[in-house]
Amino acid sequence: HYTFFPNAPRWPAEKTDLTYAFLPDNGLSDSVKAVFSRAFQKWAAVIPLTFTETSSYGSADIRIGFYRGDHGDGEPFDGVLGTLAHAFSPPTGRLHLDLAENWVVDGDVTSSGAVDLESVAVHELGHVLGLGHSSEREAIMYPTISTGTKKVDLAGDDVEGIQVLY
Ligand code: TQI
Ligand code: ZN
Ligand code: ZN
């Protein structure tokens, strides 16, 4: 079953068109940006919110960046595997990924230690929107994923949870 963060924070009701931006320093490829675009659309398909990329990082609602080790928010990354990424509850909009991972973008995720970017992006966006972890193994918001796995489609439980919030 789905959960929320304590006190069920969500993006404010009057804010239905959210913007997102990528950390300019990362110089991300179009294929990485396309993965996030697809991940946003999974959620946008089931709730009345839209997500639009903006180039003004400073004023974006949701800020996405890859960082290594200690990056100043008290939640340092730990190198290969362990923590892959984290996101903060609404309306913070921070989504950080560990630069040290062997990220796979649209590719073969079965090689050892590979982490599928889209699977992690869909999961972290669930946190950005206000979902906590689910007890259902099929859910995107289930707290673990096997390495070498791709899981990018929302389960009924994810949809129910996000539709309760929005
Ligand atoms: N990162 C944890 C996660 O996103 C960080 C975390 C732990 C967290 N508890 C939290 C974030 C509570 C918000 C609220 O769950 S992780 C997976 C999964 C991670 C794990 O690196 O362990 C995914 C990131 F589910 F696959 F194991 C993304 Cl998809
Ligand atoms: Zn961080
Ligand atoms: Zn999580």
Side-chain angles (χ1 to χ4, degrees):
H1 198 275
Y2 60 81
T3 64
F4 304 131
F5 289 100
N7 307 312
R10 47 161 283 166
W11 291 85
E14 63 277 11
K15 211 167 167 63
T16 55
D17 299 302
L18 299 173
T19 58
Y20 67 93
F22 298 98
L23 185 66
D25 291 354
N26 283 152
L28 296 173
S29 67
D30 287 345
S31 52
V32 168
K33 294 182 182 183
V35 164
F36 276 95
S37 174
R38 285 207 299 276
F40 275 111
Q41 290 332 301
K42 305 265 183 200
W43 294 106
V46 299
I47 49 173
L49 294 182
T50 68
F51 303 100
T52 309
E53 188 187 347
T54 171
S55 53
S56 17
Y57 185 76
S59 58
D61 296 311
I62 299 166
R63 298 176 197 180
I64 300 166
F66 287 79
Y67 299 88
R68 194 181 295 280
D70 188 348
H71 53 284
D73 61 11
E75 309 263 3
F77 284 131
D78 54 2
V80 176
L81 299 179
T83 301
L84 312 169
H86 55 225
F88 297 82
S89 57
T92 314
R94 280 190 295 185
L95 195 173
H96 298 164
L97 302 107
D98 189 346
L99 200 50
E101 305 306 339
N102 177 17
W103 293 109
V104 171
V105 179
D106 298 325
D108 178 13
V109 77
T110 60
S111 68
S112 106
V115 182
D116 181 53
L117 180 62
E118 187 173 359
S119 304
V120 171
V122 177
H123 179 99
E124 294 305 327
L125 288 177
H127 288 317
V128 164
L129 293 172
L131 288 177
H133 285 148
S134 171
S135 54
E136 282 189 29
R137 194 168 278 277
E138 291 69 37
I140 286 286
M141 298 314 296
Y142 191 70
T144 65
I145 190 172
S146 325
T147 53
T149 303
K150 192 171 167 101
K151 181 161 81 173
V152 297
D153 292 322
L154 303 186
D157 182 66
D158 301 304
V159 175
E160 278 175 42
I162 205 68
Q163 289 184 343
V164 168
L165 270 186
Y166 296 95

